[in-house]
Amino acid sequence: MSQILGIDAGNTMIKAILFDTSGKVIATGECAGETHQPQAGFAERPITDIWHGVEQAIQRCLQQAGAGRGEIIAVGATGHGNGLYALDRQQQPLIGIQSIDNRAIELAHELAEPVRSAEIYRRSLQQPWAASTPVLLSWLKRYQLDVYRQIGTVLCAKDVIAHYLSGAFSADYSDAAGAGLIDYAVRGYDRELLALYEIEDILPALPPLHESSDVIGYVTPQAAAHTGLLAGTPVVAGMFDVVASAVGSGVVNCGQASIVAGTWSINQVVVDKPHYRRPIFMNSMIERDRFMAIEASATSAANLDWFIREFDDGRGGQGAQRCSDSVAHVARSSQLPLYHPYLWSGRKGECAKAGFYGLSGWHTRADMLFALFEGVTFAHHAHIDRLRAAGIDFHQVTLSGGAARSCIWPQMFADVLAMPVQVAECQETGALGAAICAGVGVGLWPGLAEGVAAAVQLRPGIIQPDEQHIAFHQERFVMFKQLEQAMSVLWQKAG
């Protein structure tokens, strides 16, 4: 039986998932990572930690699978986009910066000067923001020139994995486009685009570009010895994790929309050409003839992870499920508190802060959790409003990520967004998307659409919005936005 290995490197966890060709999970392995914070606003992960995490995750996955590693026909990886992972000129690990890093906020504001920002967007369909790869490179050049001068190869998170397994240096169009490194007019790197960030000298350090499903190398004997994979197993270029999550939830055709509710609030729609009435946060690519319009920020289900970590009542296990059960029993009331999900800032940079508002002594833990669930969903709502304002139309979404596993959150998404919601059956849609890329790369399927048709299942039924709940959440969303504006002014005045 043919099997495909998908590897997913998020900001906190590296997972190795073994799938059969119908998308069924055969075995899983994971390894938790640790974010290093040497200064306030910094979020780093050494490249060696990723290598160790990949080894551990694959070993655990193969151990769970038992015999049959020879049936693995290909490996595909996905990982968080942006941030910066760099090797030095001797191909040794130099620096790893995650996509939740905020060190370059002030520089991002400087680069957002209207004339320069407009030219950056015209070329890359990307606006400068603190953890985008070219902004971080520009920051290193300005503030850590000694490190910048040592850079030999610039990689994204999943490229670190592909290099570790195969020895090859590669990038794919989805990740490089999402990182703002591609000029869409030439569909490639461009010195003039890099010059807008004052980093045109980094061009030789950018790896060759590939389609996501291209085979870029094969598992080396050294990687085989460390992971348990067979040497010679094909490795594909891989895919930006938000795009991989869309693919793994069945979203590949124009007009289809995907919401990924994980660390980041990912809201994305497949389009046939990237031309919009108003700029949006990010664009990426799916194969040669389709693009992904993306609105996103670090404002999603990771807020619940934080709440459980800091305030769980100690009963242990199934924390997210217990929280969902609590929210399901909360009666809707105009007196419920509101929550801003900006633990890691948001689209408004350092002026966006998290907080519960309108708390009274009679409010319960369940009331606060309801506010948190709703506030996260409101953040997705705000992003979707921006997509629609840019002229991108859609009428149904497919939900994946941590929120999709909740007994109540998918219904809340339908109510808040006032549109039908489908839920992906597979809980590891990013790894599945990477595995589908790998299957296409070795000829199992002719393209992503065929791979999706064979390997993606959705939960039965479509979740319809509740008309009464729509009105309730719409009124509270107006207050959520008004409060956001007021708090932004206060934080700006506070300096």
Side-chain angles (χ1 to χ4, degrees):
M1 176 181 65
S2 295
Q3 301 171 357
I4 313 170
L5 184 64
I7 303 170
D8 187 352
N11 277 298
T12 57
M13 188 77 69
I14 295 176
K15 300 178 182 180
I17 316 291
L18 194 59
F19 299 93
D20 68 15
T21 56
S22 70
K24 178 183 177 182
V25 174
I26 298 170
T28 66
E30 59 185 39
C31 183
E34 181 180 355
T35 296
H36 300 258
Q37 296 178 294
Q39 298 181 42
F42 284 42
E44 299 183 354
R45 179 168 60 180
I47 289 175
T48 52
D49 283 9
I50 297 180
W51 291 349
H52 172 75
V54 169
E55 288 178 4
Q56 293 295 309
I58 295 176
Q59 288 171 6
R60 291 165 184 170
C61 178
L62 297 182
Q63 183 177 17
Q64 185 184 112
R69 61 181 181 149
E71 296 173 343
I72 300 175
I73 60 174
V75 181
T78 186
H80 75 77
N82 288 278
L84 171 64
Y85 295 91
L87 304 178
D88 65 19
R89 298 181 187 277
Q90 287 72 49
Q91 300 182 6
Q92 296 302 306
L94 180 62
I95 192 168
I97 303 175
Q98 295 178 284
S99 63
I100 54 175
D101 189 276
N102 279 312
R103 73 186 69 190
I105 280 179
E106 292 301 325
L107 178 57
H109 290 334
E110 180 182 322
L111 292 168
E113 177 271 323
V115 174
R116 176 153 49 174
S117 179
E119 182 62 12
I120 288 173
Y121 191 87
R122 185 184 71 81
R123 291 176 174 273
S124 68
L125 298 180
Q126 172 80 279
Q127 295 177 313
W129 59 283
S132 70
T133 303
V135 172
L136 287 169
L137 285 165
S138 183
W139 186 93
L140 283 178
K141 187 174 184 179
R142 180 177 296 189
Y143 298 108
Q144 294 184 4
L145 184 59
D146 57 331
V147 175
Y148 182 84
R149 285 174 171 168
Q150 295 178 61
I151 294 175
T153 308
V154 174
L155 301 171
C156 290
K158 64 101 173 59
D159 304 329
V160 171
I161 298 172
H163 169 65
Y164 173 73
L165 292 176
S166 71
F169 294 111
S170 65
D172 88 300
Y173 287 98
S174 70
D175 233 348
L181 292 169
I182 285 184
D183 186 325
Y184 276 68
V186 300
R187 202 171 188 265
Y189 304 132
D190 181 77
R191 182 175 295 274
E192 292 182 4
L193 170 61
L194 298 175
L196 292 167
Y197 293 95
E198 300 178 2
I199 55 168
E200 62 271 26
D201 54 334
I202 206 68
L203 183 60
L206 301 181
L209 287 162
H210 297 269
E211 301 299 329
S212 301
S213 298
D214 286 352
V215 174
I216 52 93
Y218 301 86
V219 173
T220 65
Q222 181 180 13
H226 284 240
T227 62
L229 292 169
L230 287 182
T233 304
V235 179
V236 301
M239 184 173 271
F240 183 13
D241 66 349
V242 304
V243 181
S245 289
V247 172
S249 60
V251 174
V252 291
N253 296 316
C254 291
Q256 292 182 314
S258 161
I259 287 179
V260 186
T263 300
W264 275 66
S265 166
I266 306 296
N267 312 272
Q268 51 192 346
V269 185
V270 182
V271 295
D272 60 355
K273 53 182 178 293
H275 300 298
Y276 314 116
R277 289 198 297 262
R278 291 171 53 182
I280 60 172
F281 177 58
M282 182 184 295
N283 284 268
S284 186
M285 299 180 178
I286 300 183
E287 296 187 302
R288 290 183 176 273
D289 59 344
R290 278 156 290 157
F291 304 86
M292 190 70 86
I294 304 170
E295 268 290 332
S297 61
T299 54
S300 195
N303 284 270
L304 179 59
D305 295 338
W306 162 80
F307 189 96
I308 292 170
R309 184 180 71 244
E310 299 297 336
F311 305 114
D312 195 276
D313 58 14
R315 286 179 289 177
Q318 303 299 312
Q321 181 178 323
R322 288 202 319 274
C323 291
S324 292
D325 291 341
S326 296
V327 172
H329 290 92
V330 173
R332 283 169 174 76
S333 164
S334 61
Q335 299 304 310
L336 285 168
L338 289 166
Y339 176 71
H340 279 170
Y342 304 130
L343 289 172
W344 290 274
S345 295
R347 288 293 304 279
K348 297 184 183 302
E350 73 277 10
C351 293
K353 304 295 181 182
F356 288 95
Y357 303 97
L359 283 173
S360 296
W362 49 265
H363 281 131
T364 65
R365 181 175 183 274
D367 295 334
M368 295 177 70
L369 281 167
F370 182 97
L372 186 150
F373 276 48
E374 184 187 46
V376 165
T377 313
F378 281 164
H380 283 271
H381 185 352
H383 285 305
I384 284 174
D385 282 351
R386 282 190 278 269
L387 287 170
R388 284 177 164 160
I392 302 165
D393 196 26
F394 53 98
H395 306 286
Q396 182 173 309
V397 299
T398 300
L399 178 67
S400 62
R405 304 167 197 169
S406 166
C407 65
I408 189 65
W409 229 336
Q411 181 65 60
M412 187 178 286
F413 269 91
D415 297 340
V416 168
L417 302 179
M419 72 171 70
V421 171
Q422 283 191 299
V423 178
E425 185 67 53
C426 179
Q427 295 186 356
E428 303 297 346
T429 52
L432 179 56
I436 291 172
C437 280
V440 173
V442 294
L444 183 61
W445 304 295
L448 293 180
E450 292 81 3
V452 162
V456 174
Q457 286 80 41
L458 300 174
R459 288 185 195 168
I462 297 174
I463 301 170
Q464 298 293 338
D466 183 305
E467 292 297 330
Q468 291 183 328
H469 294 170
I470 290 174
F472 170 80
H473 290 297
Q474 283 179 340
E475 183 176 341
R476 287 171 59 81
F477 181 66
V478 171
M479 291 190 293
F480 173 91
K481 296 296 292 181
Q482 290 173 339
L483 183 58
E484 178 187 80
Q485 293 169 1
M487 293 306 296
S488 177
V489 171
L490 287 174
W491 279 110
Q492 287 175 334
K493 287 182 178 179

